[in-house]
Amino acid sequence: MNSGLSLMMVLLLVGTNPTMPQTTLTAQLHHSEKVEADRLFNQGLQQYQENQYESAIASWQSALKLYRKIRDRPGEAQTLLHQGKVSLALARYGEALQLVC
């Protein structure tokens, strides 16, 4: 009976998909990074509205790193656009052009 049980355990282990937990873990990590990137983006918006331009840029730079890591192109584009707006407000025209072009 032990050998039958051992054989059954081996068959169950061989038949399982070892990448399934990794895929789930990757999806959860991706989701948490997206949530954090969105939080940082919104924080930057709030800072921008309060004329805290340097803080807004810092928040958006952090958000941008995460958006690029998870390949969220719309998030990346919105972040670059807003950084460009702040650069214009600070008369950093060369920086603004680099961000939006």
Side-chain angles (χ1 to χ4, degrees):
M1 189 169 245
N2 272 346
S3 63
L5 185 57
S6 296
L7 179 59
M8 189 181 300
M9 297 279 284
V10 169
L11 290 174
L12 284 172
L13 290 173
V14 170
T16 59
N17 184 351
T19 61
M20 184 70 151
Q22 183 63 34
T23 303
T24 303
L25 182 61
T26 301
Q28 289 172 346
L29 182 59
H30 177 85
H31 176 72
S32 66
E33 289 173 328
K34 168 73 169 142
V35 169
E36 178 63 9
D38 290 345
R39 186 192 69 75
L40 288 164
F41 177 82
N42 290 327
Q43 177 179 297
L45 286 177
Q46 184 177 5
Q47 292 164 329
Y48 174 76
Q49 291 168 350
E50 296 169 359
N51 298 323
Q52 299 173 358
Y53 296 135
E54 296 299 332
S55 296
I57 289 172
S59 294
W60 286 330
Q61 286 174 340
S62 297
L64 185 61
K65 287 178 187 176
L66 288 171
Y67 284 134
R68 285 181 170 161
K69 181 178 178 183
I70 62 175
R71 295 188 175 116
D72 181 334
R73 297 301 182 221
E76 184 178 345
Q78 284 295 318
T79 303
L80 288 168
L81 179 64
H82 282 79
Q83 281 185 280
K85 287 180 183 181
V86 171
S87 295
L88 283 174
L90 296 174
R92 297 178 186 166
Y93 304 116
E95 186 178 309
L97 285 171
Q98 287 179 337
L99 289 166
V100 296
C101 294

